[in-house]
Amino acid sequence: MNYLLLIPLGLIFISFIYIFSFGGSREGRDERGYIIRLQMVNVMYAVLFLGIIIITTLNSKEFVTNKLALDIILWLALLNSLIGAIFLYFKKK
């Protein structure tokens, strides 16, 4: 197994824990926390949607292969939680 893959997977796991712990905390359940969570989900969907559109456009123009496009979309979906956690961290302050 490639040990370099453990670094981004570990970061993704930590970001999931951070997002879920905020959602379950008292701060995450009040009115401000609810708005922050909605904004975070909005940013995550926007990044995922734009990323998929860009990758499929590059794939249709044959700049990237089909396998590479699928791999990029998979990593984009996984790293989307990291983007959400970073947004949550800065929005919470």
Side-chain angles (χ1 to χ4, degrees), residues 10-79:
L11 288 174
I12 291 167
F13 182 71
I14 291 170
S15 65
F16 272 123
I17 291 173
Y18 182 70
I19 290 171
F20 289 138
S21 68
F22 176 75
S25 70
R26 185 175 183 192
E27 180 185 10
R29 286 180 282 159
D30 66 356
E31 185 177 330
R32 182 176 174 267
Y34 182 72
I35 292 172
I36 290 173
R37 283 189 295 157
L38 286 177
Q39 290 173 349
M40 178 191 63
V41 170
N42 189 18
V43 167
M44 289 171 67
Y45 278 132
V47 167
L48 188 63
F49 179 74
L50 288 175
I52 289 173
I53 294 297
I54 290 170
I55 296 302
T56 53
T57 303
L58 290 175
N59 188 9
S60 68
K61 300 292 182 184
E62 298 179 0
F63 287 119
V64 295
T65 63
N66 290 337
K67 182 177 178 350
L68 182 61
L70 288 175
D71 289 343
I72 292 172
I73 290 173
L74 172 71
W75 279 103
L76 178 67
L78 289 173
L79 292 175

Side-chain angles (χ1 to χ4, degrees), residues 3-4 6 9 53 56 64 66 71 76 82 89-91:
Y3 292 110
L4 289 177
L6 294 178
L9 292 176
I53 294 297
T56 53
V64 295
N66 290 337
D71 289 343
L76 178 67
L82 187 63
Y89 175 77
F90 285 113
K91 196 67 172 178

